[in-house]
């Protein structure tokens, strides 16, 4: 019964690379996720933390790992056949060490004791600075080691944040990871196609959400990458609208932002389409501007280009479109410099994507946008949002909200769009919705 989704050697190589990057005589401790209770007798569905899963492949709760340059140690729940009757299989330390390729394993109940023993000679201790549990564990460790001063034990003088070491490694995807993300994108694209075909005037937002999530499950995804946004009409102008509880009226657009998680890797797709299958003239004008902005942004997703280049390209097209639509007046450069456009486009054009939908990794180095590298994966998602109560906007445009989002891998050449299987041209969307088939 293996829980890791890739070949065991991949997790071992990740740990080895991290071990090699540790400070001299350093130790790193990483704590996995705990089970969380929704109410007295019901748990929230468990999901292992991404960092812990990335390095271990181990999905059970109440686990930790300790790495030094010379060894790797997994701590997990004890084998307990009585508890397994109620909650399912447990590896236990002995079997887990062998199955997951660790040098040693111990019971997680003994974490504090094992850590104190392992760290007694360490000069540096690393942990995730933003993890309160890990910080508390290290604080207790330091207090315990201080009590052993007469035995010659000196607590580590240096503490370092584990996040940069792990997160920069996670930012560059391996071929196996890219294949997993491509499959997640394909599953999510099919789900979006299904929603487009099923949609009709009067459909409830939650019905389209259910269609998408059903498609995800039957394709092998255990969970959503994030809470789906299914926003009809003016709801699309609320960026994080998740109520999904209203009927979508004839003639309205529906914006769906949804993606599955496949073996801990996220997809993130947004499409906007007319619920009745045909764009109105005003909707076509707004939509085409957003699509042109996305196409311009995609051209900038190239190795060596700065991260902000694709945002800047999208903004320029969007601002020109805002002037064309009568939303703004003035010189395009001045409107960009003054930030006037943020009334109608208030977010960035994308973010890193990976094991988390807003994935880890720096966006800048020394205050400057970092250069894109092959193996990075990001979203490209420009939008244009015109609220129904915006009395300064032309009446025919009010209540229109459009966003178009794809997942893109950086390569040595042209950008690799992982979510291209769902149409985004006006003609492509209308043709799909008229076809009656999402296959």
């Amino acid at each position: 019964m293996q829980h890791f989704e890739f070949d065991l050697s991949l997790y071992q190589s990740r740990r080895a690379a991290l071990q090699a990057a540790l400070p001299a005589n350093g130790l790193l401790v990483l704590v996995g996720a705990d089970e969380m209770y929704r109410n007295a007798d019901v748990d929230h569905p468990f999901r292992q933390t991404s960092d812990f899963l990335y390095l271990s492949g181990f999905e059970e709760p109440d686990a930790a790992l300790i790495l030094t340059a010379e060894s790797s140690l997994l701590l997990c729940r004890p084998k307990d056949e009585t508890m397994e009757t109620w909650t399912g299989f447990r590896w236990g330390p002995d079997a887990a060490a062998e199955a997951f390729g660790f040098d040693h394993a111990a019971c997680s109940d003994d974490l504090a004791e094992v850590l104190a023993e392992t760290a007694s000679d360490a000069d540096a201790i690393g942990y995730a600075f933003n993890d309160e549990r890990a910080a508390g564990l290290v604080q207790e460790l330091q207090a315990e080691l201080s009590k052993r001063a007469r035995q010659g034990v000196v607590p580590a003088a240096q503490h370092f944040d584990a996040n940069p070491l792990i997160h920069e490694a996670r930012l560059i995807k391996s071929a196996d990871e890219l294949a997993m993300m491509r499959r997640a994108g394909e599953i999510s694209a099919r789900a979006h196609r299904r929603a487009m075909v099923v949609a009709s005037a009067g459909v409830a937002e939650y019905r389209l959400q259910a269609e998408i999530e059903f498609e995800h499950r039957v394709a092998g995804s255990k969970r959503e990458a994030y809470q789906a946004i299914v926003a009809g009409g003016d709801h699309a102008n609320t960026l994080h609208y998740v109520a999904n509880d209203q009927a979508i009226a004839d003639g309205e657009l529906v914006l769906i932002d949804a993606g599955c998680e496949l073996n801990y890797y996220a997809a993130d797709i947004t499409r906007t389409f007319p619920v009745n299958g045909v764009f109105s003239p005003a909707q076509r004008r707004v939509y085409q501007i957003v699509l042109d902005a996305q196409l311009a942004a995609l051209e900038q997703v190239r190795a060596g280009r700065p991260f902000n280049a694709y945002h800047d390209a999208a903004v320029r097209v969007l601002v020109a479109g805002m002037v064309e639509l009568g939303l703004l007046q003035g010189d395009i450069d001045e409107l960009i410099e003054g930030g006037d456009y943020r009334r109608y486009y208030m977010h960035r054009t994308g973010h890193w994507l990976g094991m988390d939908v807003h994935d880890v990794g720096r966006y800048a180095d020394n205050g400057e946008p970092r250069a894109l590298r092959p193996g990075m994966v990001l979203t490209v998602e420009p939008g244009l949002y015109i609220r129904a109560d915006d009395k300064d906007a032309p009446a025919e445009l009010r209540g229109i909200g459009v966003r178009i989002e794809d997942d893109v891998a950086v390569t040595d050449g042209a950008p690799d769009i992982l979510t291209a299987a769902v149409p985004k041209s006006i003609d492509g969307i209308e043709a799909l919705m008229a076809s009656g088939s999402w296959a």
Side-chain angles (χ1 to χ4, degrees):
M1 182 177 178
Q2 293 181 333
H3 286 207
F4 42 81
E5 304 297 347
F6 299 117
D7 187 89
L8 176 61
S9 63
L10 179 61
Y11 297 98
Q12 292 173 312
S13 66
R14 289 170 176 172
R15 292 197 295 271
L18 183 57
Q19 288 170 283
L22 292 177
N25 201 27
L27 172 149
L28 184 146
V29 57
L30 191 66
V31 181
D34 289 334
E35 291 178 298
M36 297 184 66
Y37 294 97
R38 197 181 81 179
N39 53 37
D41 296 313
V42 179
D43 299 338
H44 284 290
F46 178 76
R47 184 194 187 276
Q48 186 59 274
T49 65
S50 296
D51 285 348
F52 194 89
L53 196 285
Y54 178 82
L55 291 170
S56 69
F58 191 74
E59 286 191 281
E60 290 184 13
D62 192 21
L65 63 85
I66 299 173
L67 298 179
T68 68
E70 295 79 25
S71 68
S72 60
L73 187 150
L74 174 70
L75 297 103
C76 63
R77 300 178 301 182
K79 187 71 175 174
D80 188 329
E81 293 183 0
T82 299
M83 286 303 300
E84 289 182 62
T85 300
W86 292 92
T87 58
F89 176 81
R90 291 185 179 191
W91 280 97
D94 292 339
E98 180 178 356
F100 292 85
F102 282 83
D103 298 322
H104 311 285
C107 178
S108 52
D109 292 341
D110 300 324
L111 173 58
E113 179 181 342
V114 171
L115 182 58
E117 180 180 345
T118 309
S120 60
D121 296 322
D123 295 325
I125 295 178
Y127 61 96
F129 281 3
N130 61 345
D131 185 336
E132 293 182 2
R133 295 172 305 152
L137 183 66
V138 172
Q139 185 176 12
E140 293 173 5
L141 167 68
Q142 296 294 81
E144 174 61 28
L145 294 181
S146 295
K147 297 176 183 178
R148 305 182 187 182
R150 292 184 178 181
Q151 303 169 26
V153 175
V154 179
Q158 178 188 355
H159 290 182
F160 63 93
D161 189 2
N163 285 333
L165 293 175
I166 302 171
H167 293 173
E168 285 300 297
R170 280 178 51 189
L171 180 58
I172 306 300
K173 301 333 187 253
S174 68
D176 289 331
E177 290 176 294
L178 288 171
M180 191 70 71
M181 294 187 72
R182 188 180 307 281
R183 179 58 182 151
E186 291 168 352
I187 292 170
S188 300
R190 181 181 173 91
H192 276 262
R193 296 199 306 270
R194 180 189 184 108
M196 288 180 179
V197 171
V198 168
S200 62
V203 69
E205 293 164 340
Y206 55 76
R207 164 71 189 281
L208 297 182
Q209 179 180 357
E211 296 286 348
I212 282 177
E213 293 179 0
F214 174 82
E215 195 68 45
H216 290 168
R217 295 300 173 276
V218 298
S221 167
K222 295 180 181 179
R223 61 179 73 91
E224 305 307 293
Y226 53 96
Q227 190 170 356
I229 296 169
V230 183
D234 193 44
H235 293 151
N237 296 311
T238 300
L239 297 184
H240 291 166
Y241 174 82
V242 293
N244 301 348
D245 61 358
Q246 300 296 307
I248 305 167
D250 190 17
E252 289 187 326
L253 294 175
V254 55
L255 182 156
I256 298 181
D257 187 339
C260 77
E261 181 180 288
L262 184 67
N263 299 332
Y264 285 82
Y265 285 82
D268 186 2
I269 301 175
T270 305
R271 290 293 186 269
T272 309
F273 57 91
V275 72
N276 62 11
V278 180
F279 286 89
S280 72
Q283 291 167 351
R284 292 175 73 95
R285 292 177 67 200
V286 176
Y287 186 94
Q288 189 62 51
I289 289 167
V290 177
L291 180 57
D292 290 345
Q294 201 216 28
L295 296 175
L298 285 168
E299 282 300 310
Q300 297 299 317
V301 181
R302 307 272 179 163
R305 303 276 175 89
F307 177 82
N308 65 325
Y310 78 101
H311 172 72
D312 293 345
V315 166
R316 178 160 292 277
V317 175
L318 289 171
V319 172
M322 293 175 201
V323 173
E324 176 188 329
L325 292 170
L327 297 170
L328 297 177
Q329 296 180 350
D331 178 76
I332 292 174
D333 289 326
E334 291 178 359
L335 291 170
I336 292 173
E337 184 176 355
D340 304 58
Y341 67 89
R342 294 191 181 96
R343 178 174 179 177
Y344 299 105
Y345 180 53
M346 60 292 296
H347 60 78
R348 300 292 294 180
T349 306
H351 51 79
W352 303 133
L353 185 70
M355 296 183 78
D356 298 314
V357 68
H358 284 253
D359 208 35
V360 295
R362 299 189 309 275
Y363 289 94
D365 286 321
N366 299 317
E368 295 295 327
R370 71 186 303 167
L372 298 179
R373 291 172 51 192
M376 293 175 170
V377 181
L378 46 80
T379 64
V380 181
E381 50 179 308
L384 191 49
Y385 310 96
I386 310 163
R387 298 185 64 88
D389 60 2
D390 186 347
K391 295 181 180 179
D392 294 328
E396 70 273 13
L397 302 181
R398 296 173 193 169
I400 294 177
V402 175
R403 183 165 64 252
I404 306 170
E405 177 181 23
D406 281 298
D407 305 342
V408 185
V410 181
T411 75
D412 286 319
D416 182 5
I417 303 175
L418 307 179
T419 50
V422 55
K424 60 186 175 186
S425 71
I426 290 173
D427 289 345
I429 289 171
E430 289 184 344
L432 174 68
M433 295 183 72
S435 72
S437 173
W438 59 84

